[in-house]
């Protein structure tokens, strides 16, 4: 069941400056990437030693004008900060700016988008229910421009809402995020109900396999093969051990589970970060890199290691992997991925 027709993306993160992101956009097109997925956080996940946390919507608008071919979207937008009508209008506008290259990912959201803004942050079950309503309401406006829409949702409402801008794409693509049983149920329901709804998977190998089996069971093999399955692939890439270690010290937290369960305020506590993740690695600690390589929760190492690590995602059913780097030099990572990793994977997994 090896996936063919794989597309490769790069992440516009919540830790790199706007200037860096504009440079990534220009170079990604030249380096033959297929898409860019932007993190969508009010507040960065980890805010020790980071540069800036830009909003993705203006950055994607700039990308629409600076590129000609790249698909552009978010990975993942929450359901707490925007009324779906506002988001429908914004992304219909970017779809026009980009001449039909936009996608949106919608997920249950994280505390970084709600807590600092004193927004309601209900239980995961409620937020997952909200995702279903949200996608439905986006589709209502996008699929019926210049028509008056009434909708009485549990969380949001439309009163003769009329989207006065028509997206270029007939059905603007939406990716629903899901991993747990309830969320996967919602993903399957939306895929079965609407055209051009896809899945963005927040998990990592070897756990993706079980989610893929579950989704296939709910939507059928044929439907599964017709949709995109996107996933972020955290990466550390270099051509020397020094370079890998430098990148790795920035990325330890990906493999550091305590961080993901720390509360919102704790993730920003430098002492906590230092304790769990801000470990500065030296050459003497190279075995740590070898361990991380073997654990392969994150593709780490030379281009060949990254090829192998990314293949794990593809073999488990992902056809749109996008690499995420928190290194201080994302342009170097972009270049190595574009020149040393993508050409091999393309040959292996193109239609």
């Amino acid at each position: 069941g090896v996936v063919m027709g794989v597309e490769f993306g790069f992440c516009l993160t919540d830790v790199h400056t706007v200037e860096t992101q504009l440079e990534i956009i220009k170079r990604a097109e030249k380096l033959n990437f297929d898409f860019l997925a932007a993190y969508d956080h009010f507040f960065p996940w980890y805010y020790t030693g980071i540069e800036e946390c830009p909003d993705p919507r203006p950055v994607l608008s700039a990308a629409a004008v600076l590129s000609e071919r790249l698909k552009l979207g978010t990975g993942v937008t929450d359901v707490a900060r925007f009324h779906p009508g506002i988001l429908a209008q914004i992304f219909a506008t970017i779809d026009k700016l980009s001449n039909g290259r936009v996608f949106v990912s919608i997920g249950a959201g994280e505390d970084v988008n709600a807590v600092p803004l004193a927004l309601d942050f209900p239980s995961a079950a409620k937020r997952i229910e909200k995702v279903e309503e949200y996608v439905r309401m986006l589709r209502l406006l996008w699929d019926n421009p210049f028509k008056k829409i009434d909708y009485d949702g549990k969380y949001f409402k439309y009163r003769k809402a009329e989207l006065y801008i028509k997206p270029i794409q007939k059905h603007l693509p939406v990716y629903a995020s899901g991993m747990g049983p309830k969320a996967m149920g919602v993903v399957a329901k939306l895929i079965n109900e609407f055209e051009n709804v896809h899945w963005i998977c927040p998990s990592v190998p070897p756990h993706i396999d079980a989610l893929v089996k579950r989704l296939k069971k709910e939507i059928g093999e044929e439907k599964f093969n017709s949709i995109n399955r996107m996933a972020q692939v955290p990466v550390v890439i270099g051509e020397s051990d020094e370079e890998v270690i430098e990148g790795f010290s920035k990325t330890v937290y990906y493999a550091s589970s305590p961080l993901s369960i720390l509360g919102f305020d704790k993730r920003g506590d430098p002492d906590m970060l230092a304790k769990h993740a801000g470990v500065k690695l030296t050459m003497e600690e190279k075995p740590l890199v070898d361990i991380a390589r073997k654990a392969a929760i994150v593709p780490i190492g030379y281009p060949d290691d990254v090829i192998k690590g990314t293949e794990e995602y593809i073999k488990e059913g992902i056809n749109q992997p996008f690499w995420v780097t928190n290194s201080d030099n994302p342009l170097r990572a972009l270049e190595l991925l574009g020149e040393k990793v993508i050409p091999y994977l393309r040959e292996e997994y193109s239609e």
Side-chain angles (χ1 to χ4, degrees), residues 40-43 55 57 76-87 104-124 126-135 138 155-156:
D40 193 351
H41 297 155
F42 169 71
F43 201 84
D55 181 85
R57 281 149 287 273
V76 169
T77 299
D78 64 281
V79 290
R81 289 178 297 155
F82 302 94
H83 187 289
I86 300 286
L87 217 57
V104 182
S105 306
I106 300 292
E110 288 141 346
D111 52 6
V112 288
N113 284 333
V115 177
L117 301 175
L119 294 170
D120 192 28
F121 192 64
S123 68
K126 281 208 171 96
R127 294 188 337 259
I128 288 161
E129 187 179 61
K130 211 170 170 183
V131 167
E132 186 184 337
E133 181 172 301
Y134 209 96
V135 171
L138 287 172
Y155 300 98
F156 301 102

Side-chain angles (χ1 to χ4, degrees), residues 11-299:
C11 183
L12 299 169
T13 70
D14 55 356
V15 303
H16 294 127
T17 62
V18 170
E19 292 81 352
T20 299
Q21 298 199 7
L22 292 176
E23 201 52 49
I24 287 170
I25 292 158
K26 289 179 210 159
R27 291 198 203 175
E29 181 124 68
K30 288 194 185 88
L31 286 163
N32 213 9
F33 280 80
D34 299 296
F35 67 97
L36 294 173
Y39 275 176
D40 193 351
H41 297 155
F42 169 71
F43 201 84
W45 252 104
Y46 302 98
Y47 50 106
T48 294
I50 73 141
E51 298 170 339
E52 229 170 51
C53 180
D55 181 85
R57 281 149 287 273
V59 175
L60 291 170
S61 303
V65 178
L66 288 172
S67 64
E68 287 174 14
R69 189 183 47 75
L70 291 165
K71 292 177 191 168
L72 308 163
T74 58
V76 169
T77 299
D78 64 281
V79 290
R81 289 178 297 155
F82 302 94
H83 187 289
I86 300 286
L87 217 57
Q89 185 187 26
I90 289 171
F91 280 94
T93 306
I94 305 175
D95 202 47
K96 290 216 72 173
L97 284 171
S98 67
N99 197 22
R101 291 182 283 133
V102 135
F103 64 88
V104 182
S105 306
I106 300 292
E110 288 141 346
D111 52 6
V112 288
N113 284 333
V115 177
L117 301 175
L119 294 170
D120 192 28
F121 192 64
S123 68
K126 281 208 171 96
R127 294 188 337 259
I128 288 161
E129 187 179 61
K130 211 170 170 183
V131 167
E132 186 184 337
E133 181 172 301
Y134 209 96
V135 171
R136 193 163 301 235
M137 290 180 78
L138 287 172
R139 288 327 276 265
L140 270 171
L141 291 191
W142 284 334
D143 296 355
N144 302 285
F146 304 105
K147 289 192 181 112
K148 289 183 172 52
I149 303 291
D150 281 304
Y151 189 82
D152 256 322
K154 183 170 167 182
Y155 300 98
F156 301 102
K157 295 177 179 15
Y158 288 148
R159 294 276 175 272
K160 297 192 170 55
E162 205 170 335
L163 184 64
Y164 253 81
I165 179 165
K166 186 183 178 189
I168 301 273
Q169 297 176 84
K170 188 166 185 264
H171 302 290
L172 205 148
V174 184
Y175 288 71
S177 174
M179 185 162 67
K182 194 176 162 68
M184 287 304 283
V186 164
V187 170
K189 192 171 168 188
L190 290 166
I191 288 169
N192 279 327
E193 192 174 333
F194 294 100
E195 294 264 334
N196 223 357
V197 172
H198 309 274
W199 175 43
I200 183 163
C201 169
S203 190
V204 294
H207 312 291
I208 293 173
D209 194 45
L211 299 177
V212 162
K213 286 193 172 84
R214 184 194 160 109
L215 192 56
K216 278 183 179 169
K217 210 170 123 191
E218 295 204 26
I219 65 175
E221 187 92 26
E222 196 180 338
K223 188 88 173 165
F224 179 85
N225 292 329
S226 76
I227 63 157
N228 289 320
R229 292 88 56 191
M230 189 180 281
Q232 64 164 359
V233 181
V235 68
V236 178
I237 189 167
E239 289 191 296
S240 69
D241 284 353
E242 285 84 352
E243 201 179 3
V244 172
I245 281 170
E246 184 50 42
F248 186 61
S249 59
K250 271 277 179 191
T251 312
V252 178
Y253 57 64
Y254 276 124
S256 160
S257 58
L259 270 184
S260 51
I261 54 175
L262 284 177
F264 164 72
D265 49 339
K266 301 276 193 305
R267 281 201 303 273
D269 171 349
D271 296 339
M272 267 308 211
L273 278 175
K275 197 167 140 193
H276 288 297
V279 194
K280 260 295 180 216
L281 299 179
T282 62
M283 284 307 287
E284 289 75 74
E285 293 170 272
K286 183 170 176 291
L288 189 49
V289 176
D290 292 333
I291 291 164
R293 264 191 186 140
K294 285 190 186 75
I297 181 167
V298 179

Side-chain angles (χ1 to χ4, degrees), residues 10 33 235 237 325 327 329-338:
F10 195 78
F33 280 80
V235 68
I237 189 167
T325 177
S327 101
N329 191 354
L331 295 165
R332 167 74 175 149
L334 184 81
E335 198 177 289
L336 284 175
L337 290 163

